[in-house]
Amino acid sequence: MPLPQSDNLARVGQSKAEPPAQAELDGLIRSGQVRLTDAMNATLIKR
Protein backbone atom coordinates (compact mmCIF):
# COMPACT_ATOMS: atom_id res chain seq x y z
CA MET A 1 0.00 0.00 0.00
CA PRO A 2 1.43 3.41 -0.84
CA LEU A 3 2.74 5.36 2.11
CA PRO A 4 0.13 8.18 2.01
CA GLN A 5 -2.75 5.68 2.20
CA SER A 6 -1.08 3.84 5.04
CA ASP A 7 -0.53 7.15 6.86
CA ASN A 8 -4.24 7.97 6.44
CA LEU A 9 -5.28 4.65 8.01
CA ALA A 10 -2.98 5.25 10.97
CA ARG A 11 -4.28 8.78 11.38
CA VAL A 12 -7.93 7.67 11.64
CA GLY A 13 -7.10 4.80 13.98
CA GLN A 14 -7.80 1.91 11.58
CA SER A 15 -4.17 0.87 11.55
CA LYS A 16 -1.05 1.63 13.52
CA ALA A 17 2.40 2.37 12.20
CA GLU A 18 5.14 0.07 13.39
CA PRO A 19 8.81 -0.27 12.53
CA PRO A 20 9.85 -3.04 10.14
CA ALA A 21 10.90 -6.28 11.80
CA GLN A 22 14.31 -7.47 10.60
CA ALA A 23 13.33 -11.12 11.02
CA GLU A 24 10.28 -10.59 8.81
CA LEU A 25 12.36 -8.88 6.10
CA ASP A 26 14.97 -11.65 6.26
CA GLY A 27 12.24 -14.27 5.86
CA LEU A 28 10.78 -12.49 2.83
CA ILE A 29 14.20 -12.31 1.19
CA ARG A 30 14.87 -16.00 1.87
CA SER A 31 11.46 -16.91 0.47
CA GLY A 32 12.11 -14.89 -2.68
CA GLN A 33 15.50 -16.53 -3.17
CA VAL A 34 13.98 -20.01 -2.88
CA ARG A 35 11.29 -19.14 -5.43
CA LEU A 36 13.86 -17.73 -7.85
CA THR A 37 15.93 -20.89 -7.51
CA ASP A 38 12.82 -22.98 -8.25
CA ALA A 39 11.97 -20.79 -11.23
CA MET A 40 15.41 -21.44 -12.75
CA ASN A 41 15.08 -25.23 -12.27
CA ALA A 42 14.48 -26.63 -15.74
CA THR A 43 13.06 -29.89 -14.36
CA LEU A 44 10.11 -28.00 -12.83
CA ILE A 45 9.07 -26.25 -16.07
CA LYS A 46 5.91 -27.65 -17.72
CA ARG A 47 6.20 -28.21 -21.42
Side-chain angles (χ1 to χ4, degrees):
M1 174 177 307
L3 188 58
Q5 290 176 345
S6 137
D7 287 343
N8 286 341
L9 288 174
R11 192 175 11 256
V12 297
Q14 291 184 358
S15 177
K16 67 177 187 174
E18 58 184 54
Q22 189 62 48
E24 184 176 1
L25 294 173
D26 293 344
L28 290 169
I29 290 171
R30 263 192 316 278
S31 175
Q33 289 171 334
V34 167
R35 281 162 179 65
L36 285 172
T37 300
D38 281 349
M40 293 185 291
N41 185 341
T43 62
L44 298 177
I45 298 173
K46 282 187 172 183
R47 296 179 199 251

